[in-house]
Amino acid sequence: MTEVQFYRDSDLPFFELKLCDSSRLAYKKHAHEEYSLGIVDAGRSTLWCGGRLLAVGPQSVVLIPAGVIHACNPQAENQWRYKMLFLDAGWVNQFFAATGRPAAGCPAVKAMTDKQALAVIGNMVASLTGPSGPLAKEASIISLLEQAANAVSPVLPGRRTKELSKLAVIRDYLHAHFRQKITLAALEQVSGLNRFTMLRAFKEEFAVPPHTYQTLLRINYAKRQLRQNKPVTEIAYAAGFYDQSHFIKVFKGHTGVTPEKYQRLR
């Protein structure tokens, strides 16, 4: 039995996430217009590409460039489960150029077994399949792509630049618009910083990435509104959260208590 799910976001048309849970699912030789970034959850397979055979196992991350003909053949005795992130080739090539890497020319397989790498994968899936906004979603994709790209093409020395003077513009924009839906494209436009280098530079300067900074602003706003005894449902939407359930989960994660309990505290 095969179960396949797809996730897309109209605000971020450059990606498509595929979740596949199957006892055995093999494909003939084929190619995609997009870059393919696959994460294996269970099972083992052999990736064929241009006469080369690459072993793929649990917690492997596979990066396949756009247009490269390949085929994946899971072993029959194993359950085969994986996630596949399809990324627009132009968007990925911008990432390679902005981060000082030569574009990937052939598939690569990297085992991501350390806790930090696994957390990056988990965060990406939770963001893309949950109620996160476009800022958090794109940031999670870039974080995972950075992890995978390090195995393919390391950063070339001297090509990465940080325009720290422009980070204050981003911070001020977040303060002014934190209740709204914000994208990396918007931050790129107001600051002049490339989105791929912006994330790292912003985190180095302010300790958290832009989407987390935005969430902190929303939480602080919500706390002020709760102290004024505003209705929780009203606060959830006014602060910019997806719905009341999302607001309660995020608020408790940051404060240790639900909004209702915080409101009762005196």
Side-chain angles (χ1 to χ4, degrees), residues 156-169:
L156 299 178
R159 292 191 59 187
R160 171 172 287 168
T161 60
K162 296 187 297 183
E163 302 179 52
L164 296 179
S165 62
K166 297 183 179 180
L167 294 177
V169 175

Side-chain angles (χ1 to χ4, degrees), residues 191-234:
S191 69
L193 283 174
N194 185 286
R195 71 186 68 182
F196 302 109
T197 54
M198 174 204 309
L199 286 174
R200 184 182 297 276
F202 190 93
K203 186 175 181 179
E204 288 177 355
E205 184 72 6
F206 300 109
V208 294
H211 65 277
T212 303
Y213 194 92
Q214 180 187 21
T215 298
L216 295 176
L217 293 173
R218 287 176 169 178
I219 292 296
N220 288 331
Y221 169 84
K223 289 166 71 176
R224 293 194 299 271
Q225 299 301 303
L226 288 167
R227 290 195 293 267
Q228 295 176 24
N229 291 319
K230 298 286 184 64
V232 172
T233 302
E234 178 183 316

